[in-house]
Amino acid sequence: MSGSGGDLAAAVARRLEDVRKRIASACAGAGRQAGAVRILAVTKGFGPEAIEAALEAGLSDIGENYLQEAQAKFAATAWPGRPVKRHFIGSIQRNKARRIGALFDVVQTLDDIETASLLDQCARDAGKRLEVLLQVNVTGDRRAGIAPDDCATFARELVSRDGLRLRGVMSVGPADSAATREAFDRAAQALRSVRAIVSDADTLSLGMTDDLEAAVAAGSTMVRLGTALFGARQAKG
Ligand SMILES: *Cc1c(COP(=O)(O)O)cnc(C)c1O
């Protein structure tokens, strides 16, 4: 690895240690096992060396928001000889759904049935089973996501699709931190409604750099961390 790659790897390993302490302390406060929360390394805005640094530090889940960025980056990444999961966490344009389904192992932002059909078809064509999470809108604003009350109905629609495996729900918290806890509780409730349909759906993808403690308190099983691991991103131009 190059000198700068080595520096980055060391910085990421150090930040990961801090993040693990935050998670452990939040888990202790909530009476949960620290091992119950996975870390998704969100590498948008950074190069392949960020993915390599996260993998070298021991992480196995990588998240990206934009198809083109991920395609170029993944092709340039030195992947290890162990299983790694690539998660799509951006908004899905329908004309890109098939390519997203082909490139990723998990799609966390499913919120419409037509897109589900495209992903299902593409996964079956590729002979794979794509893991999906339902993106739930827990803030009531115009952001992406299914209304919490519609999650069970949506889950029922997915049961018969052999290319998809519904693993749980994902939510983005509100901008106003005073509303975070209530919003995250709605996400946890949405997962319970999905579990009534798909009993082994156990993933609650909740929490980012600024709200991971509240997410862990609400039952998050996966926090999605960019800034906490890699530092500040350039604004997307
Ligand atoms: C960018 C992004 C993250 C990571 O955000 P940080 O605040 O940098 O940790 C997590 N989830 C989603 C959906 C994102 O778009």
Side-chain angles (χ1 to χ4, degrees):
M1 184 174 261
S2 72
S4 65
D7 291 348
L8 178 64
V12 169
R14 204 172 49 238
R15 290 194 183 111
L16 178 59
E17 235 176 273
D18 292 341
V19 159
R20 287 204 200 282
K21 283 185 198 144
R22 283 178 67 186
I23 293 172
S25 147
C27 282
R32 301 182 60 201
Q33 303 275 339
V37 183
R38 296 178 71 81
I39 297 170
L40 174 68
V42 177
T43 48
K44 66 166 176 241
F46 294 95
E49 63 281 356
I51 297 180
E52 290 163 6
L55 297 174
E56 203 176 311
L59 298 178
S60 306
D61 293 276
I62 302 294
E64 286 282 341
N65 290 60
Y66 307 99
L67 174 65
Q68 279 90 341
E69 180 184 339
Q71 272 173 328
K73 198 182 300 183
F74 289 174
T77 298
W79 296 98
R82 63 180 170 90
V84 173
K85 275 190 183 171
R86 299 163 190 83
H87 300 243
F88 187 77
I89 60 170
S91 70
I92 308 169
Q93 291 168 263
R94 284 210 192 122
N95 63 344
K96 293 181 183 163
R98 294 182 65 90
R99 277 175 290 157
I100 289 168
L103 188 64
F104 288 86
D105 306 297
V106 186
V107 172
Q108 296 207 358
T109 45
L110 184 58
D111 67 356
D112 114 301
I113 288 293
E114 237 176 278
T115 299
S117 298
L118 294 168
L119 291 175
D120 175 40
Q121 209 171 59
C122 131
R124 282 188 285 115
D125 289 350
K128 74 177 188 184
R129 196 140 186 236
L130 186 66
E131 297 188 30
V132 295
L133 304 182
L134 303 188
Q135 182 168 3
V136 186
N137 182 332
V138 292
T139 58
D141 60 15
R142 269 182 267 162
R143 272 190 279 185
I146 306 166
D149 286 350
D150 296 337
C151 284
T153 306
F154 198 107
R156 241 176 251 116
E157 289 279 337
L158 299 188
V159 169
S160 60
R161 294 169 201 259
D162 295 333
L164 303 181
R165 181 168 180 221
L166 179 56
R167 299 295 293 129
V169 309
M170 173 273 204
S171 281
V172 177
D176 173 10
S177 63
T180 299
R181 186 55 208 263
E182 228 180 286
F184 282 179
D185 286 344
R186 283 196 283 276
Q189 176 58 38
L191 177 63
R192 284 191 288 274
S193 76
V194 166
R195 287 181 71 112
I197 315 297
V198 178
S199 58
D200 67 347
D202 56 6
T203 302
L204 183 57
S205 171
L206 203 61
M208 308 178 10
T209 293
D210 289 337
D211 56 16
L212 81 81
E213 281 82 5
V216 169
S220 171
T221 66
M222 177 176 284
V223 289
R224 307 179 306 267
L225 304 178
T227 312
L229 293 174
F230 306 109
R233 289 179 292 277
Q234 305 272 312
K236 178 142 171 104

